[in-house]
Amino acid sequence: MPSTKESLSEYSSAFSQSILSWYRHNARALPWREAPSLYRTVVSEFMCQQTQIATVLPYFERWMAQLPDFESLAAAREDNVVKLWEGLGYYSRARNLHKLARKWVDADPKPQTASEWLKYPGVGAYTAAAISSISFGKHSAVVDGNVVRILARLTNDETQFNDNSKAVKNFTQLANDLIRETTHPGDHNQAMMELGATLCTKANPQCLLCPVQEYCTGLSQGDPARLPNLAKRKITAVTLDRAFIVHNGRLLLHRIPADAKRLAGMCEIPPGEQINLRFPAELIISRRRGIANERIEERFFRIVFSKEVAAIMEEDDTLFLHPLDQLDQITLTGPHRKWLHELLQEI
């Protein structure tokens, strides 16, 4: 029974039963599912934003070992929280999670509905729906890239969307229609996420294994792999030079200001312009990273510590020398900690 948005909504109960049955037999074993709690759900939702689950797993286990509940997180120092997050990227998530815990501890009554969770730091529509449905059984549908992809294919919707947020807005009503009659909204949402992550993937969707293939117009009338129709995001190429300076067993580092839009409070090898690369410099390595829509090439130059460098440090309090044998005590961005292993072999 291939579907339009209207007809799919009519089959919401049968659709939900099909996907729930599949989920209960095929869901991946994840730590926040095996021992569910509100706190574990909240932490997992924050960690999984824009990050693959395989990457999240060791971080989640380490986090739970040190900060097992809202109270311990609320009482923790911010630098310790961010240090635990090191390597996951998008560090504002860690800071917002910290603020959320403090607000939750003080809250009376505690939030339950999606609208109540939306008032908490770092909680958007998707996260609010996930928390309220999984932990409190509220009928709030999650809609992210996975769910957009599923719904676009089910309805063979060829509309071109300028970005994912517009696609989310377009499919939110349908997602809410599909969850409205289920008695297990949390499992329904997790089933939709699971389907998008494991079978209804961007490339090479496994349609023959799909539990809701009978509803899929994209499969019956076209090529589901081409949907959704999202405009390609413009990518900006950036080249950034870095100054690698080691002096008396200490490494020169730059602490990103607390009010920076990206990576606030994190440490990195300083930008070359901060040190002034007119000093004699030797290119050691060149590496690439991506942040948002930027593809950044970072070139690391060896510079000898000098009176001129010392003078620059006196004028710039974001620059400091840190002992090489204590690098594990500071919070470096993930790429720079990784690249430091290569750079230090060049000493």
Side-chain angles (χ1 to χ4, degrees), residues 6 47 134-135 141 165 187 202 233 245 256 287 319 345:
E6 292 74 17
M47 286 190 170
I134 294 170
S135 295
S165 64
D187 284 351
K202 285 185 180 181
R233 188 170 59 167
I245 300 176
I256 300 168
R287 294 292 179 265
L319 294 171
Q345 292 177 10

Side-chain angles (χ1 to χ4, degrees), residues 134-186:
I134 294 170
S135 295
F136 300 102
K138 305 299 183 182
H139 286 73
S140 300
V142 297
V143 189
D144 67 347
N146 280 330
V147 176
V148 162
R149 186 164 59 254
I150 293 168
L151 298 182
R153 290 171 176 177
L154 285 170
T155 59
N156 200 35
D157 191 330
E158 298 181 349
T159 304
Q160 184 177 74
F161 301 102
N162 290 334
D163 53 47
N164 191 65
S165 64
K166 289 182 173 58
V168 165
K169 184 178 180 180
N170 179 75
F171 288 108
T172 294
Q173 183 58 58
L174 176 57
N176 281 316
D177 288 344
L178 292 178
I179 201 175
R180 65 188 173 191
E181 294 185 25
T182 183
T183 56
H184 302 283

Side-chain angles (χ1 to χ4, degrees), residues 2 25 29 46 56 59 66 68 93 102 107 115 118 186 189 196 198 208 225 260 273 298 322 326 330 346:
H25 287 90
F46 269 69
V56 166
Y59 285 90
Q66 297 192 40
R93 294 179 296 168
R102 290 179 169 177
S115 60
L118 278 171
N189 275 334
T198 61
L208 295 180
E273 62 183 16
E298 300 197 17
H322 191 81
Q326 297 177 25
I330 59 171
E346 301 294 327

Side-chain angles (χ1 to χ4, degrees), residues 110-345:
K110 305 296 187 187
Q112 292 191 12
T113 66
S115 60
E116 290 168 344
W117 277 103
L118 278 171
K119 299 175 183 178
Y120 277 67
V123 177
Y126 174 90
T127 304
I131 295 170
S132 64
S133 65
I134 294 170
S135 295
F136 300 102
K138 305 299 183 182
H139 286 73
S140 300
V142 297
V143 189
D144 67 347
N146 280 330
V147 176
V148 162
R149 186 164 59 254
I150 293 168
L151 298 182
R153 290 171 176 177
L154 285 170
T155 59
N156 200 35
D157 191 330
E158 298 181 349
T159 304
Q160 184 177 74
F161 301 102
N162 290 334
D163 53 47
N164 191 65
S165 64
K166 289 182 173 58
V168 165
K169 184 178 180 180
N170 179 75
F171 288 108
T172 294
Q173 183 58 58
L174 176 57
N176 281 316
D177 288 344
L178 292 178
I179 201 175
R180 65 188 173 191
E181 294 185 25
T182 183
T183 56
H184 302 283
D187 284 351
H188 174 99
N189 275 334
Q190 292 190 84
M192 291 289 284
M193 293 185 275
E194 192 79 357
L195 182 65
T198 61
L199 296 184
C200 197
T201 50
K202 285 185 180 181
N204 303 314
Q206 300 180 58
C207 298
L208 295 180
L209 300 177
C210 179
V212 291
Q213 60 176 279
E214 65 180 295
Y215 303 98
C216 188
T217 307
L219 177 60
S220 65
Q221 295 186 10
D223 176 13
R226 63 189 174 84
L227 297 172
N229 186 3
L230 295 172
K232 290 187 176 180
R233 188 170 59 167
K234 184 179 179 181
I235 301 299
T236 302
V238 177
T239 299
L240 179 61
D241 292 338
R242 299 279 185 177
F244 179 65
I245 300 176
V246 175
H247 177 62
N248 290 339
R250 296 182 296 168
L251 174 68
L252 183 66
L253 290 170
H254 160 64
R255 190 180 305 279
I256 300 168
D259 59 354
K261 292 182 179 179
R262 291 179 181 171
L263 307 174
M266 305 292 290
C267 296
E268 291 194 327
I269 296 168
E273 62 183 16
Q274 202 168 359
I275 300 301
N276 192 342
L277 279 180
R278 63 182 171 78
F279 300 142
E282 171 196 358
L283 178 63
I284 308 173
I285 63 172
S286 179
R287 294 292 179 265
R288 289 180 172 82
R289 71 198 289 192
I291 301 179
N293 66 330
E294 293 184 347
R295 295 297 175 265
I296 307 169
E297 179 184 13
E298 300 197 17
R299 303 188 302 177
F300 294 83
F301 290 84
R302 188 202 316 272
I303 295 178
V304 176
F305 189 82
S306 63
K307 291 186 295 184
E308 290 83 358
V309 172
I312 291 172
M313 290 180 62
E314 288 184 7
E315 298 295 325
D316 188 340
D317 60 7
T318 70
L319 294 171
F320 64 99
L321 287 165
H322 191 81
L324 290 172
D325 59 0
Q326 297 177 25
L327 290 177
D328 60 337
Q329 298 179 15
I330 59 171
T331 307
L332 290 160
T333 61
H336 277 226
R337 184 171 293 282
K338 176 183 177 181
W339 298 335
L340 261 176
H341 288 295
E342 299 176 69
L343 289 165
L344 293 174
Q345 292 177 10

Side-chain angles (χ1 to χ4, degrees), residues 31-33 35-50 56 59-60 63-64 67-71 73-74 85 88 92-105 110-114 116-124 126-136 190 193:
W32 47 90
R33 290 176 179 168
S37 71
L38 171 60
Y39 179 70
R40 292 167 75 86
T41 295
V42 171
V43 173
S44 67
E45 288 300 327
F46 269 69
M47 286 190 170
C48 289
Q49 293 170 14
Q50 299 173 295
V56 166
Y59 285 90
F60 182 84
W63 183 282
M64 286 298 156
L67 301 173
D69 49 39
F70 284 111
E71 289 77 10
L73 174 55
W85 199 273
L88 274 177
S92 61
R93 294 179 296 168
R95 294 186 175 90
N96 281 330
L97 184 54
H98 192 208
K99 295 173 185 175
L100 179 152
R102 290 179 169 177
K103 182 173 181 177
W104 186 91
V105 167
K110 305 296 187 187
Q112 292 191 12
T113 66
E116 290 168 344
W117 277 103
L118 278 171
K119 299 175 183 178
Y120 277 67
V123 177
Y126 174 90
T127 304
I131 295 170
S132 64
S133 65
I134 294 170
S135 295
F136 300 102
Q190 292 190 84
M193 293 185 275

